[in-house]
Amino acid sequence: MLLLIRAAALSSLIVLAACGADPAPGPVEQIIVREPGAAAAVASAEAPADALLAEGKAAFANCTACHTLEEGAPNGVGPNLFGIVGAGAGEVAGFAYSDALKGSGITWTATELDSFIADPAAKIPGTTMVAGAIADAAKRQAVIAYIDSVTAN
């Protein structure tokens, strides 16, 4: 009988030991607590770029009297500027450029666009772009960023 009690106790011990074994733990829910305003800080990091593009879009509204900025749209009084950043001056198909602009050899980088938009006649004497100069450097940068972003998307 003693042997039977020992055997029962031993088997109970083995069973209990097996019950306590924990298989690989499952997913654990984590709660992340942020300081007040932390989410706003992440959003505000993107805000300067968004604000620059919004300012550029608003300033480009003045340019739409002569230019379009939609892929495949027809030229107006001025050429369609879609894809102009990185393109050569005088290369938009179907637009009658001045000889001065066609012969300039300029590639429209942000720097070249900036100096042209600041004073077209000084940058390329003989150009037919006689209106639309933007004296404010920040506004020029915003317009160029906007034009480039439309093309990139």
Side-chain angles (χ1 to χ4, degrees):
M1 179 83 176
L2 186 60
L3 190 56
L4 227 109
I5 294 174
R6 282 188 178 172
L10 184 60
S11 65
S12 296
L13 184 62
I14 292 172
V15 169
L16 288 175
C19 288
D22 191 13
V28 176
E29 182 177 347
Q30 294 182 356
I31 298 173
I32 299 172
V33 178
R34 293 194 170 110
E35 292 295 319
V42 172
S44 68
E46 297 171 1
D50 291 342
L52 180 69
L53 295 178
E55 181 184 347
K57 183 177 183 177
F60 188 80
N62 294 327
C63 306
T64 60
C66 299
H67 297 282
T68 55
L69 190 55
E70 293 83 33
E71 186 173 17
N75 296 313
V77 173
N80 181 341
L81 298 179
F82 185 87
I84 200 72
V85 179
E91 294 183 357
V92 173
F95 187 76
Y97 287 98
S98 66
D99 291 337
L101 191 69
K102 283 191 291 190
S104 69
I106 291 174
T107 297
W108 292 124
T109 63
T111 302
E112 293 290 353
L113 282 166
D114 183 63
S115 62
F116 183 71
I117 296 169
D119 190 350
K123 176 71 177 174
I124 304 174
T127 184
T128 54
M129 183 169 158
V130 294
I134 302 173
D136 182 348
K139 192 175 282 188
R140 288 194 309 271
Q141 292 305 310
V143 167
I144 294 165
Y146 172 67
I147 291 170
D148 193 31
S149 75
V150 170
T151 299
N153 294 327

